[in-house]
Amino acid sequence: MNNFNKKKRRKRRKYYNWPEEIAKGNTDKFYNSTDFEIWREKVLERDKGECQFFAGKWDDGIHKPYTIKPEAANTAHHIIPIKERPDLCLNVDNGVALSFEAHEIIEERNRFRYKRNKKLITKERW
């Protein structure tokens, strides 16, 4: 029996005290860890792989979805940022499943994506 569809997970190399590591500023180390991958999979599994923002089941109190639509989730988002509360970094109740687009809206990164460069009005030269 082949397990081609099963995702290969990295081996846990060392146990880290993640709240302490995040407080030191090692957030990249946390996001690249096996513990984060396991947390992400648990959050996506709990929410059945559906984006909670576009389904209308979750909002952050600031942003609202422009339309309610079924969307697949591929990102797990920390409701309370880990820099504010490092002790909740692996708490599944502090996570929500979002699509990439919804995560960009929540993190307010989408406003920079759609800016167009203004063309400079110059004198025509023949």
Side-chain angles (χ1 to χ4, degrees), residues 1 7-8 18 22 24 29 31 33-34 40-41 43 51 56 63 69 72-73 80-81 87 92 110 113 124:
M1 183 173 178
K7 181 181 174 185
K8 279 192 168 182
W18 287 118
I22 292 167
K24 289 180 191 174
K29 193 175 192 179
Y31 285 124
S33 71
T34 306
R40 179 184 168 274
E41 288 173 4
V43 170
C51 176
H63 305 92
K69 61 183 179 178
I80 300 172
D87 57 317
V92 177
N110 67 336
R113 181 184 295 166
E124 283 188 39

mmCIF file of all heavy atoms in Angstrom, residues 1 7-8 18 22 24 29 31 33-34 40-41 43 51 56 63 69 72-73 80-81 87 92 110 113 124:
data_model
loop_
_atom_site.group_PDB
_atom_site.id
_atom_site.type_symbol
_atom_site.label_atom_id
_atom_site.label_comp_id
_atom_site.label_asym_id
_atom_site.label_seq_id
_atom_site.Cartn_x
_atom_site.Cartn_y
_atom_site.Cartn_z
ATOM 1 N N MET A 1 0.841 -1.181 0.000
ATOM 2 C CA MET A 1 0.000 0.000 0.000
ATOM 3 C C MET A 1 0.887 1.246 0.000
ATOM 4 O O MET A 1 1.769 1.403 0.827
ATOM 5 C CB MET A 1 -0.899 -0.016 1.232
ATOM 6 C CG MET A 1 -1.852 1.116 1.296
ATOM 7 S SD MET A 1 -2.972 0.822 2.686
ATOM 8 C CE MET A 1 -3.910 2.279 2.553
ATOM 9 N N LYS A 7 1.038 13.637 3.458
ATOM 10 C CA LYS A 7 2.091 14.642 3.548
ATOM 11 C C LYS A 7 3.193 14.151 4.476
ATOM 12 O O LYS A 7 2.930 13.658 5.558
ATOM 13 C CB LYS A 7 1.502 15.950 4.083
ATOM 14 C CG LYS A 7 2.498 17.059 4.185
ATOM 15 C CD LYS A 7 1.863 18.301 4.739
ATOM 16 C CE LYS A 7 2.912 19.355 4.968
ATOM 17 N NZ LYS A 7 2.372 20.543 5.611
ATOM 18 N N LYS A 8 4.416 14.307 4.005
ATOM 19 C CA LYS A 8 5.546 13.939 4.852
ATOM 20 C C LYS A 8 5.841 15.080 5.807
ATOM 21 O O LYS A 8 5.986 16.222 5.401
ATOM 22 C CB LYS A 8 6.783 13.666 4.004
ATOM 23 C CG LYS A 8 6.811 12.305 3.408
ATOM 24 C CD LYS A 8 8.180 12.035 2.854
ATOM 25 C CE LYS A 8 8.295 10.572 2.520
ATOM 26 N NZ LYS A 8 9.627 10.233 2.019
ATOM 27 N N TRP A 18 8.244 27.243 23.310
ATOM 28 C CA TRP A 18 7.889 28.242 22.299
ATOM 29 C C TRP A 18 7.516 29.600 22.874
ATOM 30 O O TRP A 18 7.919 30.618 22.307
ATOM 31 C CB TRP A 18 6.807 27.708 21.367
ATOM 32 C CG TRP A 18 7.350 26.679 20.436
ATOM 33 C CD1 TRP A 18 6.984 25.380 20.355
ATOM 34 C CD2 TRP A 18 8.397 26.851 19.474
ATOM 35 N NE1 TRP A 18 7.738 24.733 19.407
ATOM 36 C CE2 TRP A 18 8.610 25.617 18.853
ATOM 37 C CE3 TRP A 18 9.198 27.929 19.100
ATOM 38 C CZ2 TRP A 18 9.566 25.433 17.857
ATOM 39 C CZ3 TRP A 18 10.147 27.747 18.111
ATOM 40 C CH2 TRP A 18 10.323 26.507 17.505
ATOM 41 N N ILE A 22 9.509 32.781 21.404
ATOM 42 C CA ILE A 22 8.793 33.870 20.727
ATOM 43 C C ILE A 22 9.043 35.186 21.447
ATOM 44 O O ILE A 22 9.201 36.229 20.816
ATOM 45 C CB ILE A 22 7.291 33.550 20.634
ATOM 46 C CG1 ILE A 22 7.086 32.371 19.677
ATOM 47 C CG2 ILE A 22 6.488 34.755 20.170
ATOM 48 C CD1 ILE A 22 5.708 31.765 19.734
ATOM 49 N N LYS A 24 11.714 35.986 22.881
ATOM 50 C CA LYS A 24 13.056 36.401 22.477
ATOM 51 C C LYS A 24 13.062 37.005 21.076
ATOM 52 O O LYS A 24 14.017 37.648 20.687
ATOM 53 C CB LYS A 24 14.015 35.211 22.484
ATOM 54 C CG LYS A 24 14.385 34.702 23.845
ATOM 55 C CD LYS A 24 15.339 33.531 23.669
ATOM 56 C CE LYS A 24 15.565 32.775 24.942
ATOM 57 N NZ LYS A 24 16.381 31.571 24.713
ATOM 58 N N LYS A 29 11.569 30.946 13.563
ATOM 59 C CA LYS A 29 11.894 29.589 14.015
ATOM 60 C C LYS A 29 10.605 28.837 14.358
ATOM 61 O O LYS A 29 10.464 27.657 14.045
ATOM 62 C CB LYS A 29 12.806 29.682 15.235
ATOM 63 C CG LYS A 29 13.477 28.422 15.641
ATOM 64 C CD LYS A 29 14.439 28.727 16.785
ATOM 65 C CE LYS A 29 15.352 27.592 17.071
ATOM 66 N NZ LYS A 29 16.290 27.893 18.156
ATOM 67 N N TYR A 31 7.466 29.522 13.137
ATOM 68 C CA TYR A 31 6.657 29.293 11.935
ATOM 69 C C TYR A 31 7.243 28.224 11.019
ATOM 70 O O TYR A 31 6.539 27.675 10.185
ATOM 71 C CB TYR A 31 6.449 30.593 11.176
ATOM 72 C CG TYR A 31 5.454 31.511 11.837
ATOM 73 C CD1 TYR A 31 5.790 32.804 12.181
ATOM 74 C CD2 TYR A 31 4.169 31.073 12.132
ATOM 75 C CE1 TYR A 31 4.874 33.648 12.797
ATOM 76 C CE2 TYR A 31 3.249 31.892 12.744
ATOM 77 C CZ TYR A 31 3.608 33.179 13.078
ATOM 78 O OH TYR A 31 2.698 34.004 13.693
ATOM 79 N N SER A 33 8.595 25.430 12.263
ATOM 80 C CA SER A 33 8.723 24.235 13.102
ATOM 81 C C SER A 33 7.632 23.213 12.806
ATOM 82 O O SER A 33 6.591 23.528 12.231
ATOM 83 C CB SER A 33 8.656 24.619 14.584
ATOM 84 O OG SER A 33 7.342 25.012 14.918
ATOM 85 N N THR A 34 7.882 22.000 13.233
ATOM 86 C CA THR A 34 6.901 20.929 13.121
ATOM 87 C C THR A 34 5.712 21.193 14.038
ATOM 88 O O THR A 34 4.581 20.864 13.687
ATOM 89 C CB THR A 34 7.550 19.581 13.487
ATOM 90 O OG1 THR A 34 8.704 19.399 12.682
ATOM 91 C CG2 THR A 34 6.597 18.432 13.245
ATOM 92 N N ARG A 40 -1.363 24.031 12.743
ATOM 93 C CA ARG A 40 -2.057 24.470 11.529
ATOM 94 C C ARG A 40 -3.005 23.384 11.021
ATOM 95 O O ARG A 40 -4.151 23.652 10.683
ATOM 96 C CB ARG A 40 -1.019 24.824 10.461
ATOM 97 C CG ARG A 40 -1.601 25.266 9.158
ATOM 98 C CD ARG A 40 -0.470 25.488 8.136
ATOM 99 N NE ARG A 40 -1.019 25.636 6.832
ATOM 100 C CZ ARG A 40 -1.316 24.648 6.012
ATOM 101 N NH1 ARG A 40 -1.080 23.405 6.389
ATOM 102 N NH2 ARG A 40 -1.834 24.868 4.832
ATOM 103 N N GLU A 41 -2.534 22.140 10.981
ATOM 104 C CA GLU A 41 -3.370 21.031 10.523
ATOM 105 C C GLU A 41 -4.580 20.831 11.435
ATOM 106 O O GLU A 41 -5.680 20.550 10.956
ATOM 107 C CB GLU A 41 -2.551 19.746 10.447
ATOM 108 C CG GLU A 41 -1.559 19.732 9.313
ATOM 109 C CD GLU A 41 -0.633 18.528 9.355
ATOM 110 O OE1 GLU A 41 -0.817 17.652 10.242
ATOM 111 O OE2 GLU A 41 0.268 18.468 8.515
ATOM 112 N N VAL A 43 -6.113 23.157 13.252
ATOM 113 C CA VAL A 43 -7.046 24.265 13.043
ATOM 114 C C VAL A 43 -7.825 24.055 11.740
ATOM 115 O O VAL A 43 -9.048 24.209 11.709
ATOM 116 C CB VAL A 43 -6.296 25.619 13.024
ATOM 117 C CG1 VAL A 43 -7.214 26.739 12.577
ATOM 118 C CG2 VAL A 43 -5.741 25.924 14.404
ATOM 119 N N CYS A 51 -12.953 28.479 4.712
ATOM 120 C CA CYS A 51 -12.577 29.813 5.170
ATOM 121 C C CYS A 51 -13.708 30.381 6.023
ATOM 122 O O CYS A 51 -14.825 30.565 5.551
ATOM 123 C CB CYS A 51 -12.300 30.728 3.982
ATOM 124 S SG CYS A 51 -11.942 32.415 4.474
ATOM 125 N N GLY A 56 -18.738 33.855 6.681
ATOM 126 C CA GLY A 56 -19.502 34.719 7.575
ATOM 127 C C GLY A 56 -19.562 34.219 8.999
ATOM 128 O O GLY A 56 -20.339 34.713 9.806
ATOM 129 N N HIS A 63 -12.768 44.208 9.929
ATOM 130 C CA HIS A 63 -12.968 43.888 8.526
ATOM 131 C C HIS A 63 -14.212 43.027 8.350
ATOM 132 O O HIS A 63 -14.485 42.158 9.169
ATOM 133 C CB HIS A 63 -11.752 43.148 7.982
ATOM 134 C CG HIS A 63 -10.480 43.887 8.195
ATOM 135 N ND1 HIS A 63 -9.696 43.694 9.308
ATOM 136 C CD2 HIS A 63 -9.867 44.839 7.466
ATOM 137 C CE1 HIS A 63 -8.646 44.488 9.239
ATOM 138 N NE2 HIS A 63 -8.726 45.204 8.132
ATOM 139 N N LYS A 69 -19.296 33.656 0.497
ATOM 140 C CA LYS A 69 -19.091 32.637 -0.531
ATOM 141 C C LYS A 69 -18.311 31.477 0.064
ATOM 142 O O LYS A 69 -17.538 31.662 1.002
ATOM 143 C CB LYS A 69 -18.332 33.230 -1.718
ATOM 144 C CG LYS A 69 -16.951 33.764 -1.359
ATOM 145 C CD LYS A 69 -16.273 34.388 -2.539
ATOM 146 C CE LYS A 69 -14.911 34.936 -2.125
ATOM 147 N NZ LYS A 69 -14.198 35.515 -3.227
ATOM 148 N N ALA A 72 -12.172 27.652 0.028
ATOM 149 C CA ALA A 72 -11.306 26.690 0.708
ATOM 150 C C ALA A 72 -10.261 27.434 1.530
ATOM 151 O O ALA A 72 -9.720 28.447 1.097
ATOM 152 C CB ALA A 72 -10.619 25.794 -0.308
ATOM 153 N N ALA A 73 -9.993 26.927 2.714
ATOM 154 C CA ALA A 73 -8.995 27.541 3.598
ATOM 155 C C ALA A 73 -7.663 26.837 3.419
ATOM 156 O O ALA A 73 -7.604 25.620 3.273
ATOM 157 C CB ALA A 73 -9.442 27.437 5.044
ATOM 158 N N ILE A 80 -5.359 36.047 18.464
ATOM 159 C CA ILE A 80 -4.543 36.945 19.283
ATOM 160 C C ILE A 80 -3.100 36.734 18.818
ATOM 161 O O ILE A 80 -2.594 35.614 18.891
ATOM 162 C CB ILE A 80 -4.677 36.633 20.786
ATOM 163 C CG1 ILE A 80 -6.133 36.781 21.219
ATOM 164 C CG2 ILE A 80 -3.765 37.525 21.606
ATOM 165 C CD1 ILE A 80 -6.398 36.305 22.620
ATOM 166 N N PRO A 81 -2.444 37.777 18.294
ATOM 167 C CA PRO A 81 -1.092 37.597 17.742
ATOM 168 C C PRO A 81 -0.129 36.995 18.757
ATOM 169 O O PRO A 81 -0.197 37.275 19.951
ATOM 170 C CB PRO A 81 -0.667 39.025 17.380
ATOM 171 C CG PRO A 81 -1.935 39.785 17.234
ATOM 172 C CD PRO A 81 -2.908 39.157 18.188
ATOM 173 N N ASP A 87 2.080 32.660 25.008
ATOM 174 C CA ASP A 87 1.612 31.442 25.660
ATOM 175 C C ASP A 87 0.460 30.785 24.895
ATOM 176 O O ASP A 87 0.175 29.613 25.101
ATOM 177 C CB ASP A 87 1.194 31.732 27.102
ATOM 178 C CG ASP A 87 0.129 32.808 27.201
ATOM 179 O OD1 ASP A 87 0.241 33.836 26.498
ATOM 180 O OD2 ASP A 87 -0.821 32.623 27.985
ATOM 181 N N VAL A 92 -5.244 25.661 19.992
ATOM 182 C CA VAL A 92 -6.094 25.526 18.807
ATOM 183 C C VAL A 92 -7.266 26.502 18.852
ATOM 184 O O VAL A 92 -7.722 26.978 17.809
ATOM 185 C CB VAL A 92 -6.597 24.063 18.668
ATOM 186 C CG1 VAL A 92 -7.533 23.908 17.491
ATOM 187 C CG2 VAL A 92 -5.416 23.128 18.526
ATOM 188 N N ASN A 110 -3.517 43.636 1.701
ATOM 189 C CA ASN A 110 -4.099 43.701 0.366
ATOM 190 C C ASN A 110 -4.179 45.115 -0.179
ATOM 191 O O ASN A 110 -4.273 45.312 -1.367
ATOM 192 C CB ASN A 110 -5.485 43.066 0.353
ATOM 193 C CG ASN A 110 -6.484 43.861 1.165
ATOM 194 O OD1 ASN A 110 -6.102 44.600 2.071
ATOM 195 N ND2 ASN A 110 -7.748 43.719 0.866
ATOM 196 N N ARG A 113 -1.391 45.873 -2.679
ATOM 197 C CA ARG A 113 -1.295 45.053 -3.875
ATOM 198 C C ARG A 113 -1.925 45.716 -5.089
ATOM 199 O O ARG A 113 -1.456 45.559 -6.203
ATOM 200 C CB ARG A 113 -1.981 43.714 -3.630
ATOM 201 C CG ARG A 113 -1.889 42.814 -4.838
ATOM 202 C CD ARG A 113 -2.634 41.542 -4.642
ATOM 203 N NE ARG A 113 -2.001 40.777 -3.582
ATOM 204 C CZ ARG A 113 -2.551 39.754 -3.001
ATOM 205 N NH1 ARG A 113 -3.744 39.380 -3.341
ATOM 206 N NH2 ARG A 113 -1.937 39.103 -2.056
ATOM 207 N N GLU A 124 5.395 65.275 -25.364
ATOM 208 C CA GLU A 124 5.698 64.305 -26.417
ATOM 209 C C GLU A 124 6.911 64.767 -27.178
ATOM 210 O O GLU A 124 7.077 65.935 -27.481
ATOM 211 C CB GLU A 124 4.517 64.197 -27.385
ATOM 212 C CG GLU A 124 3.386 63.378 -26.824
ATOM 213 C CD GLU A 124 2.327 63.129 -27.871
ATOM 214 O OE1 GLU A 124 2.684 62.890 -29.033
ATOM 215 O OE2 GLU A 124 1.165 63.206 -27.504
#
